Amino acid sequence: MGKETGFLELDRQDRTYGPVDERLKNYKEFVVPLSAETLKGQASRCMNCGVPHCHTGCPVNNIIPDWNHLVYEDDFRNALQVLHSTNNFPEFTGRICPAPCEAACTLNLIDEPVTIKSIECAIVDKGWSEGWITPKIPEAKTGKSVAVVGSGPAGLACAQQLARAGHSVTVFEKNDRVGGLMRYGIPDFKMEKHLINRRAAQMEAEGVTFRTSTEVGVNVSVSSLKDNYDAIVFAGGAEDARKLQIPGAELPGVRLAMEFLTQQNKRNAGDDELRAAPRGSLTATGKNVIVIGGGDTGSDCVGTSNRQGAKSVTQLEIMPKPPVHEDKGMSWPFWPLKLRTSSSHEEGADREWAVLTKRVVGDNDVKGLECVRVEWKDGKMVEVEGSEFTLEADLILLAMGFVGPKKAGMLDQAAVELDARGNVKADTQVYQTSDEQIWACGDMRRGQSLVVWAIREGRQCARAVDEALMGASELPR
């Protein structure tokens, strides 16, 4: 694979970013791709590992050394074929996946992993620009019909696989456009939405029907789906956001991160303010913004707030500040706990760790947020005496994760069994719920997770459904 001495001859070189002052003026992607020559050199660094842990680090089991070698040989077309054999949407993962494959790379032992994510993105982007990516229309139809509920990465992957197997697939999406949280939760500066549009067009050509602005459990009942489809797949995601349970959290200036991000994404899509913000405009312009939650969603709120012209942005995390470098001997090849600084953080934000929020200050409007510092003793969180402080705030955005799928509507009607965490109960072999006509995959089944895990589950679920309908399946797991 690659050039066996490549990693000795070349240092890791990844994609760069456009200037901060330029990218803050718009919501366009600002990653600067590697040149063809540099990309080939970086692919050569993928050495002939005895055990390529990148395979197991990648949830979709991408055959990474193979397509790295093909890029090294300048054979992008075959590299694309290998990439698509395990991943329906590499242009999504090549932009928004945190790259656990790179954490598992053998060269990460010396902090010089192969630039797997950048190479993946370059392969699929070239595939689109060269016209190599076309619809895969099945030779024959099976006569079976499947309803897929939810058009996030799990639903899209499942639907595409089932359509290619010859089934008639209808995707139900409650929002006005397909894509789920990729559409409305991921800012355009991380992934522009024309990428979703062209995949949806490909899927329509393959026979998938999209029914947008149609919420199952509201506009159409679960019982009607059971009457009209041979199988149903629940892929609706985990959208029940964790709430802030402190005094003052009910004030109008305390809002969910997803509402904030969705509004801006709708504006970027050309929606007028009434359509983008039916509950009233939510912007950070000229405001002191506090983002509660230290994960990716919180980071997205930081980047969006800065683009809207916030006066200040502060991000709070209840957990202690992680180390800058992980302990390789303890963590590799698994996903390490270490300090992660995103491009949005680099654009400007104050970050505070080990902070517990106590009370939102304000009458009709938010004025501030009372906090206290915490530490851990004997596995328990303890407030540090005398460490109380108050942050000035006009807008508080809650990015504290999700507790599971929403129950009202579809899940209440379906009455499928839930697991101890409140997710739809189904295993990862057959993905079937307690109702033998209904399957579940993605965040609705596993809980809040990554796009790459959703794609994997969608693909595996599609095979399970195909096998149940036809008695056997040629779809890959």
Side-chain angles (χ1 to χ4, degrees):
M1 294 296 111
K3 185 179 181 182
E4 291 190 350
T5 58
F7 75 101
L8 296 172
E9 298 170 17
L10 294 171
D11 293 332
R12 171 184 167 94
Q13 184 177 343
D14 208 350
R15 295 173 289 185
T16 56
Y17 298 144
V20 171
D21 59 342
E22 289 298 321
R23 67 196 201 217
L24 284 179
K25 295 175 183 177
N26 58 70
Y27 292 87
K28 299 294 185 182
E29 290 183 14
F30 52 82
V31 174
V32 181
L34 297 174
S35 68
E37 182 179 356
T38 302
L39 196 74
K40 181 177 178 179
Q42 289 301 300
S44 79
R45 299 181 66 249
C46 185
M47 57 183 169
N48 191 16
C49 297
V51 179
H53 287 284
C54 56
H55 285 178
T56 53
C58 174
V60 293
N61 301 122
N62 276 333
I63 312 170
I64 294 164
D66 293 54
W67 44 257
N68 275 337
H69 183 69
L70 289 166
V71 169
Y72 171 53
E73 294 188 327
D74 202 29
D75 188 355
F76 276 82
R77 189 155 195 166
N78 278 318
L80 179 67
Q81 183 177 354
V82 174
L83 179 54
H84 269 147
S85 71
T86 57
N87 186 352
N88 294 65
F89 314 119
E91 65 269 43
F92 301 164
T93 53
R95 286 169 168 81
I96 60 178
C97 179
C101 53
E102 293 188 17
C105 176
T106 302
L107 289 177
N108 193 40
L109 284 168
I110 56 171
D111 290 316
E112 288 282 315
V114 175
T115 54
I116 299 169
K117 180 177 173 179
S118 294
I119 297 170
E120 173 186 40
C121 199
I123 293 170
V124 69
D125 284 354
K126 186 175 180 65
W128 280 109
S129 65
E130 295 290 336
W132 297 336
I133 301 174
T134 57
K136 293 185 176 181
I137 301 171
E139 295 181 358
K141 301 293 284 187
T142 65
K144 302 291 186 180
S145 60
V146 183
V148 176
V149 184
S151 68
L156 291 178
C158 186
Q160 185 168 60
Q161 293 295 94
L162 287 169
R164 290 175 174 179
H167 303 302
S168 296
V169 182
T170 302
V171 176
F172 292 84
E173 170 56 53
K174 67 181 180 181
N175 291 310
D176 56 350
R177 300 178 179 93
V178 301
L181 289 186
M182 286 193 305
R183 168 77 66 178
Y184 289 128
I186 301 292
D188 285 11
F189 57 78
K190 288 176 66 174
M191 190 180 83
E192 294 179 19
K193 303 310 180 281
H194 69 86
L195 302 171
I196 301 174
N197 297 341
R198 68 185 181 189
R199 277 296 181 186
Q202 179 198 36
M203 292 174 63
E204 286 179 321
E206 293 170 346
V208 176
T209 298
F210 291 101
R211 288 185 58 181
T212 56
S213 301
T214 306
E215 184 172 358
V216 174
V218 178
N219 307 111
V220 59
S221 68
V222 173
S223 61
S224 70
L225 294 186
K226 296 183 71 173
D227 290 339
N228 290 285
Y229 294 88
D230 297 301
I232 303 166
V233 176
F234 285 174
E239 295 183 303
D240 191 5
R242 183 174 284 108
K243 307 299 193 300
L244 185 64
Q245 305 290 345
I246 62 174
E250 72 284 353
L251 289 174
V254 181
R255 307 290 279 272
L256 294 175
M258 279 303 149
E259 182 183 8
F260 176 69
L261 296 172
T262 295
Q263 284 193 13
Q264 187 56 56
N265 281 352
K266 287 191 172 186
R267 294 186 191 104
N268 295 345
D271 289 356
D272 59 33
E273 202 62 18
L274 182 61
R275 187 174 177 185
R279 290 185 56 207
S281 295
L282 177 59
T283 64
T285 308
K287 296 177 181 176
N288 295 298
V289 179
I290 295 178
V291 180
I292 302 178
D296 289 339
T297 301
S299 169
D300 294 342
C301 288
V302 170
T304 302
S305 295
N306 280 327
R307 280 162 179 75
Q308 290 182 355
K311 183 178 179 181
S312 69
V313 183
T314 303
Q315 186 177 17
L316 305 181
E317 169 57 53
I318 196 170
M319 299 301 292
K321 185 176 182 178
V324 175
H325 297 288
E326 72 269 33
D327 183 340
K328 302 289 187 185
M330 179 178 292
S331 64
W332 182 85
F334 303 107
W335 187 244
L337 174 67
K338 68 175 185 178
L339 179 64
R340 301 180 188 279
T341 301
S342 71
S343 59
S344 291
H345 294 138
E346 293 170 353
E347 292 165 359
D350 293 324
R351 303 173 73 186
E352 296 280 352
W353 284 267
V355 171
L356 177 66
T357 58
K358 299 292 287 184
R359 186 174 74 92
V360 178
V361 180
D363 296 321
N364 296 323
D365 298 316
V366 170
K367 299 296 183 184
L369 182 64
E370 292 181 359
C371 308
V372 64
R373 301 198 180 276
V374 295
E375 58 185 5
W376 273 256
K377 294 182 178 179
D378 300 323
K380 295 182 179 180
M381 184 176 68
V382 180
E383 296 182 13
V384 177
E385 187 176 352
S387 66
E388 298 84 359
F389 64 99
T390 301
L391 293 170
E392 186 177 358
D394 305 297
L395 175 64
I396 298 174
L397 298 173
L398 308 182
M400 304 182 298
F402 301 87
V403 296
K406 292 183 177 179
K407 310 303 187 297
M410 184 178 74
L411 292 187
D412 284 346
Q413 287 183 18
V416 291
E417 188 176 350
L418 305 179
D419 64 18
R421 297 170 59 206
N423 302 315
V424 178
K425 188 175 182 179
D427 64 35
T428 55
Q429 290 301 313
V430 296
Y431 287 89
Q432 201 166 36
T433 70
S434 55
D435 185 320
E436 62 181 17
Q437 196 178 347
I438 301 175
W439 284 256
C441 62
D443 289 6
M444 182 162 274
R445 189 207 68 82
R446 68 180 289 118
Q448 178 187 352
S449 190
L450 304 175
V451 165
V452 69
W453 274 110
I455 294 172
R456 171 187 174 141
E457 293 216 353
R459 288 170 60 88
Q460 291 187 338
C461 183
R463 178 186 168 90
V465 172
D466 185 39
E467 199 166 25
L469 294 177
M470 306 304 294
S473 178
E474 295 183 358
L475 291 174
R477 269 184 64 84

